[in-house]
Each structure stands twice: as C-alpha cells, then as structure tokens.
Amino acid sequence: AKPLQVSLSAGDILCELEACHTGLGETERAEECMRRAMGDAMPIRPENIARLAWSRYQLSGDGDSTLEQLTACLKRNGVRRKTQAEVHAMLGRVYLDRREWVNAETHLGLSCAREPTVLNTWLALGELYSATDRDDMSMRALQRCTELDPEASGAWGLMARMYEKHRQTSRAMQIFNNHMDPEDPAVQLRRNHILHAAALTLQRVFRGRQARKLVARIRGMRQVARNYGTRLQQWEVATLNSKAGLVLHSKLAHRAEFGDMPLARDRGRPGAGFGRKPLGSSFF
C-alpha cells in the first residue's frame, strides 16, 4: 500500500467523521467536526484537504487562498480521478462566484471528463450557462443533475426560474407543486406571483371580449337601421355612444388602477405570464 493511502492525521479522521454525520443528516455534529479540523493538524489526504479548503471558503469567502489550496491538491501524486473531479468542481464554483466564466467552464469541463457523475459539477454548469444566456445548455445540465439526484432542490428551482423566464409558467407550476417544498416562503411567493399574473391576464381578456361584443352589437344595430332605411332617434344614438364611451372609460380606469401594481408592470418582462415558445429552442 502507498504511504499516502494508509497515513492519517487527526484532521483526516475529523473530515471522515464529518462525512458520516452529513450522510446521517446530523448537520450540527458535522459542522463541529469541520471546525475542529480547522483548528487541529492539517489533514494528509488530498480529498480531505480539498474539503477543508472548501469549508473555509464557505465561511470566510476568501477565494484567493481557496484557489491556491485546491490547485495544490491537484498537483499532488496519487490523487484519484473522482477526487480530481470534485476538486475541479470546487475550482469551477469559486471561479463562477468570481464571475470568471472562462476559467469556471474550463474546470467544470475537466471535472466532467474525470468523473461525469459529480452532482455539484452539473449544478454549477447549469448556473454558468444560465448566467451566460445559454439556456438550452443550462436546461440539459440541470436535467442531468436531477437524474443524478431527484431531490436536488437547487436544480429544480433554477429550472422553474428558467421556465418563468421563457413564459412557460405551467411547467414552472408543475415543478413548484411536485418537486419543491410547498412550505418554503420563496416557493409560495413565486406561485402566488404566477397565479396573480394569470388572474390579471384572464381579467384583461374577459373585459376585452365584453368590449368587443358591445361594439359589435352597436355596429349591428346601426347596420340594421341603415339597411331598412330608418334612422335612429337622437336619444338612441346618444345612448349607444355613451355605452361605447363607458367601455373605453372602464379600460382606461382599469389601466390606471392596476398599472402601478408590481405584477402589472411585470407583464412586459419575461417570465411574467403565458406565452408561446420562441423559435429555435428544444426546451423552450
């Protein structure tokens, strides 16, 4: 056996305990093990060094030191391919947070080449492609992420936001109802936003239909009077014109009443209502 594989330090043992507690859902004990690992001797195994560096990055947000430590892990000998893939995924995430798209895509691609079953790689790729307006590629990456883990709420949430962006609110509602926590305040807010926007659309369509029916009836009455050679009385003409004016007045009043509401303003933005699929897209 290689010395690198059999040697352990206190930091390695604490990192392994942290992984066990995380798998059992004991978050507090896992965090305690990681805090103790940060204060004790540094671990020896590359995978534990990378995990410890990632934990420090999540706490402090110091990207420069994290990049340095993760890059040093890749330069060590005897690193397994899966460990290399996980380290490249961490590097891609750090570069993604720094908005360095090229470096992020490079490391995420290397992670997929080393091991195509790393969940965080596909989630980070979905976020990267979404941030760079490559929605089709983002949706493919997110679907791969949900295939690896059907409970990946981050991937489902991003997919729902993309469906809203492309005005496919029915698919977004399906994700909210079937794959997201209904008690989550953010999910409830997005669902209420979609339902409110749909109600505004239905109300506008109904009022428009009523206005068109009234205008058609007024035109029909005038046409009948013209065909039969009779003339409408002056009070009848005034009544018809007043009805048409009321229709126009009601439409203007509706705009004045609901035009300043946030959801009404959002109607012109992508993802605020129902619409057709744009051309040239396999998902949208």
Side-chain angles (χ1 to χ4, degrees):
K2 297 181 180 180
L4 184 62
Q5 296 177 350
V6 299
S7 58
L8 288 174
S9 68
D12 290 303
I13 296 175
L14 289 172
C15 288
E16 297 299 329
L17 286 174
E18 184 269 341
C20 294
H21 288 307
T22 302
L24 294 174
E26 301 174 352
T27 307
E28 295 182 358
R29 291 187 176 182
E31 293 177 353
E32 178 63 24
C33 290
M34 193 56 64
R35 283 194 295 267
R36 290 174 58 189
M38 292 179 188
D40 293 344
M42 283 292 295
I44 298 176
R45 293 187 174 181
E47 58 269 23
N48 294 330
I49 294 175
R51 287 164 57 189
L52 190 60
W54 179 250
S55 298
R56 284 179 176 151
Y57 172 71
Q58 289 181 315
L59 292 175
S60 64
D62 187 3
D64 294 332
S65 62
T66 304
L67 292 174
E68 182 179 352
Q69 295 176 16
L70 293 176
T71 304
C73 288
L74 291 175
K75 295 180 180 179
R76 300 185 63 172
N77 298 324
V79 182
R80 297 179 301 172
R81 291 182 64 85
K82 186 175 182 179
T83 302
Q84 294 179 10
E86 293 174 351
V87 174
H88 278 297
M90 295 176 187
L91 286 169
R93 170 61 67 177
V94 175
Y95 281 119
L96 181 61
D97 294 340
R98 295 161 64 102
R99 303 181 67 85
E100 299 181 16
W101 312 126
V102 177
N103 292 331
E105 188 169 3
T106 300
H107 283 284
L108 293 174
L110 291 173
S111 177
C112 290
R114 297 293 193 281
E115 180 62 44
T117 59
V118 178
L119 180 67
N120 294 328
T121 302
W122 295 105
L123 180 59
L125 277 173
E127 297 179 10
L128 171 64
Y129 293 143
S130 177
T132 53
D133 296 328
R134 290 176 285 178
D135 293 344
D136 263 359
M137 299 176 66
S138 175
M139 187 60 70
R140 292 190 181 94
L142 294 174
Q143 284 190 342
R144 177 58 177 162
C145 184
T146 56
E147 290 174 1
L148 294 173
D149 183 11
E151 302 298 328
S153 59
W156 288 116
L158 184 55
M159 288 173 66
R161 287 196 296 270
M162 293 182 64
Y163 280 133
E164 287 186 77
K165 174 183 176 181
H166 290 272
R167 301 185 180 182
Q168 296 189 27
T169 50
S170 60
R171 292 188 175 184
M173 287 293 290
Q174 290 179 359
I175 291 177
F176 290 144
N177 295 331
N178 300 331
H179 303 286
M180 306 282 295
D181 183 10
E183 302 299 329
D184 188 356
V187 174
Q188 294 179 356
L189 180 63
R190 297 310 306 166
R191 291 179 72 255
N192 293 337
H193 179 88
I194 293 175
L195 293 175
H196 195 179
L200 289 178
T201 301
L202 181 62
Q203 186 182 56
R204 187 175 66 253
V205 171
F206 175 77
R207 291 187 176 184
R209 183 174 181 273
Q210 293 296 104
R212 288 192 295 271
K213 287 174 60 177
L214 179 58
V215 170
R217 185 161 61 88
I218 293 173
R219 290 177 178 174
M221 294 175 62
R222 289 177 175 174
Q223 185 66 31
V224 169
R226 187 180 301 112
N227 291 341
Y228 283 90
T230 60
R231 296 180 60 84
L232 294 176
Q233 298 296 328
Q234 187 67 28
W235 64 271
E236 294 176 328
V237 175
T239 301
L240 296 178
N241 290 335
S242 64
K243 288 184 177 180
L246 285 175
V247 173
L248 179 61
H249 177 73
S250 65
K251 292 174 67 177
L252 295 177
H254 174 72
R255 290 183 181 179
E257 180 179 358
F258 296 100
D260 295 331
M261 296 179 63
L263 294 182
R265 290 198 305 267
D266 291 345
R267 297 299 300 166
R269 300 192 311 183
F274 300 92
R276 298 183 178 179
K277 298 180 182 179
L279 299 177
S281 174
S282 59
F283 285 97
F284 309 108

